[in-house]
Amino acid sequence: MLHVDPIFAATSTTSSYVAEAVSTTPPIAAGGEAIPPPFTIGRVLTETRLDSWLALGLVLAAGLYLYGVHRLRMRGDHWPVARTVFFLGPGLGGIALVTVSGLHAYDTALLSVHMVQHMMLSMVAPIFLALGAPMTLALRTLPQRPRKRLLAIVHSRIARVYSFPLVAFGIFVANPFVLYFTDLYRYTLEHAWAHELVHAHFILTGCVFFWPLLGLDPLPGRWPYPARALLMLLSVPFHTVLGLTIMQSTTLFGGDWYPSLNLGWADPWDDQVLAGGILWAGGEFVSVTMLAVLVVQWIKQSEREARRIDRELDRQEARERAAESAA
């Protein structure tokens, strides 16, 4: 007759329950979030969240911008529709696409998704935010005292230093190298607040770089168009070098973070190569787009200057004719 120790039986039963619970509990990533299921386009919609501070900031920015446009129209002033579309669409909408949609669920599980966020937050959305001219809108709608404060901030010494093209260029170029080639990137993967802070830093860095080059707002010390085009051309090789370095790296970014997730549907090495390719190709595409926008602005500015000179010549000619008639 088989004898079963009651203590051993109870222990075995409890262990089996614990093992079953552990096996059914999803692994945990940064910030206590569960490891996401295999990436699909459909999950970009199903994993959308609206409870982050960044989502609240986007809604607030959109509301203030639309309120400013409404005030201008109520008093009969014109505001270009294209500026509103740029600011709300590719600008704020681009930020929401990579931070509020389901992509956020994969930004600490796939380096390629994080790189898409990097491109959108630092190189795409800031361009269209600058083209939306929110500072000009604020100066035209704010009361006198807040308007003076805004002008004081824009013309302050700190703003002049950070908006100086060479300083902004250095910050814009150095940031990704400091992030990805130090332990800072691993730290952002382990701490959700640091990861969110990096997102905000990407946006601010992109705005500081692109606002003086492409923006329509009145900024002090803005360079002429040939110098701006040269600075944009100089930024192209850095993204190419960074993308190729990531693709050819023999070590994984983030150390053993991505292998420790044990994603059966994604290989960390292949994903890192894809991430480098996204940065390389995306950087060149955005640079070409920036140059195209800058050339269009340059042509329009030249046309406005030509019309101004023609009007001045016409006025001089009219004054000369009037003087001859009086003589």
Side-chain angles (χ1 to χ4, degrees), residues 1-12:
M1 183 174 181
L2 180 63
H3 175 72
V4 179
D5 190 350
I7 298 178
F8 176 76
T11 305
S12 301

Side-chain angles (χ1 to χ4, degrees), residues 71-90:
R71 288 197 59 182
L72 285 181
R73 292 182 176 179
M74 288 295 293
R75 69 188 190 194
D77 292 340
H78 173 70
W79 184 256
V81 178
R83 295 185 183 182
T84 304
V85 173
F86 286 151
F87 188 84
L88 299 179

Side-chain angles (χ1 to χ4, degrees), residues 107-246:
D107 59 2
T108 57
L110 295 173
L111 180 61
S112 57
V113 172
H114 170 79
M115 207 58 68
V116 171
Q117 289 180 326
H118 180 166
M119 295 295 300
M120 178 61 71
L121 297 178
S122 66
M123 297 189 67
V124 178
I127 295 177
F128 293 98
L129 292 177
L131 294 177
M135 192 179 302
T136 301
L137 179 62
L139 292 174
R140 293 181 60 182
T141 55
L142 286 175
Q144 183 177 2
R145 182 174 296 180
R147 184 166 61 248
K148 289 183 177 180
R149 291 179 180 177
L150 179 59
L151 286 173
I153 294 174
V154 172
H155 294 278
S156 65
R157 180 173 299 179
I158 296 178
R160 287 177 178 271
V161 171
Y162 280 100
S163 63
F164 185 69
L166 287 180
V167 175
F169 174 77
I171 297 174
F172 182 76
V173 170
N175 270 339
F177 289 93
V178 174
L179 174 64
Y180 297 122
F181 294 97
T182 64
D183 294 334
L184 180 61
Y185 182 63
R186 174 62 183 261
Y187 186 84
T188 62
L189 294 175
E190 296 174 343
H191 301 83
W193 68 267
H195 201 73
E196 296 289 338
L197 187 62
V198 166
H199 290 168
H201 183 68
F202 280 157
I203 298 172
L204 292 177
T205 302
C207 288
V208 168
F209 178 66
F210 290 112
W211 225 284
L213 299 181
L214 300 173
L216 305 177
D217 291 320
L219 296 176
R222 176 166 286 177
W223 281 10
Y225 281 100
R228 298 188 215 175
L230 177 61
L231 199 62
M232 286 188 181
L233 287 175
L234 292 177
S235 67
V236 176
F238 290 95
H239 291 94
T240 302
V241 170
L242 180 60
L244 291 175
T245 302
I246 294 176

